[in-house]
Structure formats: C-alpha cells, structure tokens
Amino acid sequence: MTDLPDSIDATQNLLAGQAYLADRALATVLFLALKLGRPIFLEGEPGTGKTEIAKALAAALGRRLIRLQCYEGLDAASAVYEWNFAAQMLAIRSAEAAGEKTDLHNRLFGPDYLIERPLLEAMRPQPGGAPVLLIDEIDRTDEPFEAFLLEALSDFQVTIPELGTIRAETPPIVILTSNRTREVHDALKRRCLYHWVDYPSFARERDILDTRAPEASDKLSREVVAFVQRLRTEDLFKKPGVAETIDWAKCLLALDVLELSPEVIADTLGAILKYQDDIARLQGSEAKKLLDEVRQSLPAA
C-alpha cells in the first residue's frame, strides 16, 4: 500500500507512474479529495479518460478497485446486496429432510447466503486499506437511485433489513463519473468535489500517446493526434476519445505504417470511429481533404 500523496505535484507523479498524465487542475481536485475525504465527481464527454483516473489511482495507491457500472433501472438492492436464493432453497430442503428447522430463518438470512454487491463491498475492510469505489456513468441511472446514493455517501453506511446497518470503518475513496447524458441532481454534486474532464490539448495528447505507444515515430504520432483532434471538430455522432487515439496508433504500428495517407485512413477508420454514419462521412475524398488540412496546420517539428 502506498501512502496518500502529500502535495499536488506528488499526486501528478503518482498518476504518471501508472502512465496517466493528469494536468494540474485535475491533480489539485484529486489531492484535495484524498486530503479531505470527499467524493470526486468527474464529468465530461465519453472517451476523455474519466474511468481510467479511478483505475490509475487504485493501482498507484495499491488499493482494490470496486466498480459499480450504472445502467437504467439500477436500484439500491442491486447495488448493495442480494440473497443467494438458490442456496437458500437447497438449505431449506436439506433442513426439512433432516428435520432441523430450529433457527432456520436466521441461518438463511445470515452472512453465508449474502451476495455482496459493489456498495456493500466498499464498506468492508479491504487488504491494503480502504478501496477505490468507482461509480461509473451515474447519469445512466434515475433520480431515486441518486437519492439513495446521496444518503449512502453521506454516512458511508448501508442498511440490510435482516442484518442491520453496516458502516464503513474507513470510508472508501469514491469517484463518480458522468457522460452528461442528463443532469445529475445538484444535491449529489454538492457532496463531491467537481471536475470537468475535457479532451486534452494537442501537446498533452501527444505526451499521452508517447507514453502509451512509444514505438510510434514523431511524425506518425503528430499526424495521428492532429487528425483525431481535427475529427473532433466535425459533426460526428460519436467523437473519438483518447482511447481511440491510442488504439489507432497501435493499429498503424501493427501495419508498419510510417505516415498517414488517405488509403491508410480509409482502411483503419474502424479503430477511431464506431458508427457507420460517421465512417461514411470520411469515405472518398473527405479523408484526403482533412489530412491535407491537418498537415498544413501542423507546426514544423
């Protein structure tokens, strides 16, 4: 287990050790959240690296990462616990066959038959210290779940009717992410320290690519980043994120590509665009046009 960072610079260095290059604004919010024990609310476009922040932080601190992937219809019970009904039924049949029904109810609704879900797991002591609890894409849930989460994060405790209230001895490090498909209630945001995670600048995305795909030549790396950044200005259904930049560069390296060409772009668009309508926009002369614009805008190396 690694100690919590004692400064903003130490926070940046901690994440850099996991190949995550955080700017100073993000490192400041993370440092303050760790220092004050506050949840972190990360909002931004899909593909800007919000989930990777939690993964990098957990790995850097040597803590367990517990992930609650949100979805429409997620309720408190699914996020906290459920009972192992199949095992309970078998236990009932065994007890009936053996004539051992004494205290059966208490045994059936005890720890042996409890399946812990992410929120309950995060309240338990973990090897290496309090875990990192990632509540991913909170904007995909509905308001009742937000209200429940607000209460759970206020006291870091959950209640199971059959077992009582379970409170975290040491609160987990909580990171919530949102792609802003809808507005999350202000009350939940007020519990957290907020940070908007934007697409990186050209220079920062170059640094990220150099870290994640160091085999790429300077020329190829510059062209890939510039082309992806140019694509983000287009009216696309799904703009490529940083993960797509890295994937594309690795695909090009696997094909022994030294520099971009309209033909190479057309052949590998599936690495950066994930919808057919977006891919169709770049067919024919459009890819060459964008590539020409990118090369004209690139500063001399």
Side-chain angles (χ1 to χ4, degrees), residues 220-258:
L220 181 62
S221 178
R222 282 159 47 85
E223 287 187 346
V224 164
V225 171
F227 192 85
V228 171
Q229 296 223 336
R230 177 65 179 82
L231 277 183
R232 291 183 189 136
T233 67
E234 295 289 301
D235 184 22
L236 300 174
F237 184 78
K238 170 69 170 64
K239 300 181 189 299
V242 178
E244 280 75 35
T245 304
I246 297 168
D247 285 346
W248 192 31
K250 289 181 177 179
C251 289
L252 297 173
L253 288 169
L255 295 172
D256 296 323
V257 172
L258 299 178

Side-chain angles (χ1 to χ4, degrees), residues 10 19 28-29 66-67 74 79 84 93 103 140 142 155 168 177 212 217 221 229-230 236 252 277 282 299:
T28 300
V29 170
I66 298 175
R67 180 175 182 172
L74 176 66
N84 189 337
R93 290 171 184 169
D103 202 32
R140 297 178 65 180
D142 50 23
D155 302 321
T177 74
R212 296 298 185 94
S217 67
S221 178
Q229 296 223 336
R230 177 65 179 82
L236 300 174
L252 297 173
D277 289 350
L282 266 73

Side-chain angles (χ1 to χ4, degrees), residues 49-60:
K50 301 181 294 297
T51 300
E52 287 300 316
I53 293 170
K55 292 179 179 179
L57 187 63

